[in-house]
Amino acid sequence: MCGILGLILGHVDDPSSTAAAADLHDALYYLQHRGQDACGIATCASGGRIYQCKGNGMAAKVFHDGSRVQDLPGFMGLGHLRYPTAGSSASAEAQPFYVNSPYGITFAHNGNLINAEELRKYLDIEAHRHINTDSDSELMLNIFASELNETGKARVNEEDLFKSLERMYGKCVGGWACTAMLAGFGILGFRDPYGIRPLVIGSRPSGTQTGAVDYMMASESVALRQLGFSDIVDILPGQAVIVRKGAAPVFRQVVPQLAYSPDIFEFVYFSRPDTVIDGISVHRSRQNMGYKLADTIIRTLGKEAIKEIDVVIPIPETSNTSAASVSERLKIPYCQGFVKNRYVFRTFIMPGQGARQKSVRRKLSAMESEFAGRTVLLVDDSIVRGTTSREIVSMAREAGAKKVIFASCSPPITHAHIYGIDLASPLELVAHNRDRIAIAKHIGAEEVIYQSLSDLKAACAELSPRDPKTQEFEVGVFCGKYVTPVTQGYFEHLEKVRGESRKIKVLESAKEAVMNGIAGKNELEMITRGATVDLNGQVVPVIGGESGSNSKVNNQLNGHARRKREREESATPPVRDRQDISLHNFATEPERGYE
């Protein structure tokens, strides 16, 4: 899950203006919920000069509460907010990405490519393009750049861009929404052929030049609306739009639309309630989820048991709307029994189970007056690992709740999310090989009740401007049936990537424990011998050296092992610590002493 932006102002003649960066910076805060791991802005000024500021952390940190905006002149630019997909979270992978050839392309990407290893080999062996990070966003940028380079022209036009995108779509498989910027030319946006990841475009009159028009693209409509943009339309599956400086947008269906299947998790959790995605109001969809969940609760518990429930309490904030609908349908009082600390961010997207668990109590506190002696119905948007849910149930008990019933607005999550957010490994999911009774026991509740998949889909489809009977969604996390073809090899690759990422975090924790004198036997062995990922996905100390049983084919190191050895021999620092080369990045400079 990432947030992406693209903006081009109608007034292009002021070389020193930072108006584009100022608007992009404001928009980052409207999309901050889509990722707190890293963010960035790149702008283009006169003469095609590109400026950027990006790094790990939230927008306020990276941009020093806005003071860095004055370092980003230009009439157009891109913005990006990142939550990491499976893999690392290096500052080198903060976006937008940039390649100088051809034409100077800057790129912001939301989604995931499921044929990344195949593309990496193609870029190396056939396109001869160097990839400097582990991000599939950089892969996609270079595939596009390679195709655009085939024009052989000194200057390109809209037709060249559309044709290059068409060829790029032929090579990439997955779900994506992207914005891109060509130095001195304009911006473009495009979306995968299934419409999995969202992207909208809007316009507004220029504030500084009469008759000129500004255009902006964003992952969610709220970012455009809050900045005064109107005439907001969805970029369709398989469609691209190009906005050249001083010109109106040009739309093109670059590949056939293979489906119209937005990720249903956008409506369950990802998006703000004041957003409209593909013509479906997120707020209204959550209302519908609540009504349908209430009907399921009645069928599951029976009307007599419903009478014992004293209060419906949401787990703030995503489930507030649905919980109010549950309360209305069940005719049971609704109250905000948990108080949210607004200075602690969303625990679900925090990197690391320990961080999530500790953060729950920093984020929420239970009001004893609303729990003491009561049977409470807690409503949440979803249950992923169960860590947060178990902590919340424990807090309700400590506040005096007599009984706790836990209801989820979405079905059990049983499979990996492969199109843009690393929910968890299937083995980490609380619903993996557990029924709702076992899950209730695991989190400490009397009952756990899930929304059915058919009801969840109907809650959103009923609001679709398309035919509700044929409206489909990407729901693979709930059933394992994804809208794009997925090979078993990809899931194995995903687990390897997750394992390597987990290993880095465990080693960092072990080093910290050693430095503080609190390391256990395992941590000491990891530091002295190294760590590896076992068959169950657990990080354990290396025993007797690496087995390497699967690292050779015909006595030759395979690709993964060879790349690992090359990194070790070159003494490449851990991925989370490195600062890779890129454009000059103002975020890495000390703050200037402006008057």
Side-chain angles (χ1 to χ4, degrees), residues 102-307:
Y103 316 117
I105 307 170
T106 316
F107 196 80
H109 171 260
N110 173 28
N112 219 31
L113 299 177
I114 60 178
N115 65 333
E117 286 304 300
E118 176 186 326
L119 295 175
R120 189 180 295 275
K121 291 176 183 176
Y122 166 80
L123 288 168
D124 180 22
I125 297 169
E126 296 187 41
H128 311 307
R129 298 187 72 91
H130 174 68
I131 303 301
N132 205 52
T133 73
D134 297 321
S135 170
D136 56 0
S137 304
E138 189 188 10
L139 292 176
M140 195 170 198
L141 165 59
N142 277 274
I143 293 289
F144 175 54
S146 176
E147 296 301 334
L148 193 57
N149 196 52
E150 294 299 310
T151 63
K153 295 181 176 180
R155 297 289 183 270
V156 289
N157 55 35
E158 288 95 335
E159 192 64 29
D160 297 320
L161 292 171
F162 285 133
K163 290 293 185 184
S164 299
L165 283 173
E166 181 181 355
R167 294 191 297 272
M168 183 203 74
Y169 273 64
K171 291 183 170 65
C172 298
V173 181
W176 62 78
C178 304
T179 53
M181 177 172 69
L182 263 70
F185 180 90
I187 63 171
L188 59 150
F190 49 92
R191 199 173 173 195
D192 68 78
Y194 303 90
I196 297 170
R197 300 261 65 89
L199 189 61
V200 293
I201 183 171
S203 62
R204 71 180 181 192
S206 170
T208 55
Q209 183 169 310
T210 303
V213 180
D214 303 334
Y215 295 96
M216 190 172 192
M217 304 177 206
S219 297
E220 295 186 32
S221 60
V222 61
L224 304 188
R225 192 177 65 252
Q226 292 296 99
L227 289 172
F229 288 83
S230 58
D231 298 323
I232 299 171
V233 296
D234 293 288
I235 296 172
L236 300 176
Q239 189 179 63
V241 57
I242 296 171
V243 190
R244 200 166 184 170
K245 63 179 182 180
V250 179
F251 291 83
R252 176 77 60 85
Q253 192 71 35
V254 292
V255 295
Q257 180 176 305
L258 299 180
Y260 207 138
S261 301
D263 187 346
I264 208 162
F265 233 80
E266 291 283 355
F267 303 96
V268 171
Y269 179 84
F270 291 166
S271 298
R272 281 176 49 143
D274 46 355
T275 282
V276 177
I277 292 178
D278 293 308
I280 301 172
S281 162
V282 174
H283 173 71
R284 295 290 187 188
S285 71
R286 289 176 184 168
Q287 282 185 322
N288 279 359
M289 290 175 206
Y291 292 133
K292 293 181 185 299
L293 178 59
D295 293 338
T296 299
I297 293 169
I298 294 170
R299 289 193 301 270
T300 303
L301 299 181
K303 292 184 178 180
E304 289 304 311
I306 296 296
K307 293 177 182 178

Side-chain angles (χ1 to χ4, degrees), residues 314-551:
I315 311 304
E317 294 180 330
T318 318
S319 62
N320 288 1
T321 304
S322 298
S325 295
V326 170
S327 167
E328 179 186 338
R329 181 64 58 92
L330 297 182
K331 296 182 172 58
I332 295 172
Y334 167 93
C335 81
Q336 294 275 356
F338 289 102
V339 177
K340 181 179 180 182
N341 181 348
R342 297 183 183 277
Y343 301 97
V344 177
F345 215 68
R346 302 172 93 171
T347 56
F348 163 71
I349 61 174
M350 294 188 74
Q353 181 105 327
R356 282 187 296 272
Q357 197 164 355
K358 291 178 182 177
S359 183
V360 174
R361 288 178 183 263
R362 291 200 300 269
K363 171 184 163 185
L364 298 176
S365 63
M367 292 189 285
E368 290 186 8
S369 61
E370 305 307 313
F371 288 90
R374 288 177 157 187
T375 295
V376 298
L377 172 58
L378 304 183
V379 178
D380 206 351
D381 52 77
S382 58
I383 307 174
V384 183
R385 298 170 181 85
T387 309
T388 300
S389 303
R390 186 168 59 243
E391 202 69 24
I392 286 169
V393 171
S394 177
M395 291 167 66
R397 300 272 191 210
E398 291 167 14
K402 183 171 62 177
K403 289 185 179 180
V404 179
I405 300 167
F406 204 102
S408 168
C409 294
S410 59
I413 297 172
T414 54
H415 292 77
H417 191 289
I418 65 172
Y419 299 118
I421 186 166
D422 187 23
L423 282 178
S425 165
L427 293 175
E428 298 173 311
L429 298 170
V430 72
H432 180 75
N433 290 335
R434 288 190 183 101
D435 61 16
R436 70 178 190 87
I437 306 301
I439 294 169
K441 183 178 180 180
H442 180 78
I443 69 171
E446 271 73 20
E447 288 275 1
V448 166
I449 301 168
Y450 282 100
Q451 184 95 266
S452 71
L453 182 53
S454 58
D455 279 349
L456 176 60
K457 291 165 70 175
C460 301
E462 288 168 3
L463 301 167
S464 175
R466 296 162 293 282
D467 183 357
K469 295 179 181 178
T470 60
Q471 175 67 64
E472 289 296 329
F473 298 92
E474 162 48 40
V475 294
V477 289
F478 305 117
C479 61
K481 297 179 181 177
Y482 302 96
V483 299
T484 64
V486 187
T487 64
Q488 183 58 37
Y490 176 72
F491 293 106
E492 294 170 358
H493 164 71
L494 203 60
E495 287 307 305
K496 287 181 181 178
V497 171
R498 282 198 185 104
E500 289 301 312
S501 179
R502 196 180 303 121
K503 185 168 74 173
I504 291 171
K505 294 173 184 176
V506 169
L507 284 171
E508 287 176 347
S509 178
K511 288 176 185 176
E512 187 175 339
V514 169
M515 290 176 66
N516 292 324
I518 57 173
K521 180 181 177 183
N522 269 9
E523 291 161 322
L524 287 170
E525 287 183 349
M526 286 181 192
I527 295 301
T528 56
R529 299 182 182 179
T532 188
V533 182
D534 66 17
L535 295 176
N536 295 318
Q538 300 301 309
V539 180
V540 296
V542 171
I543 299 174
E546 288 189 283
S547 66
S549 58
N550 295 320
S551 65

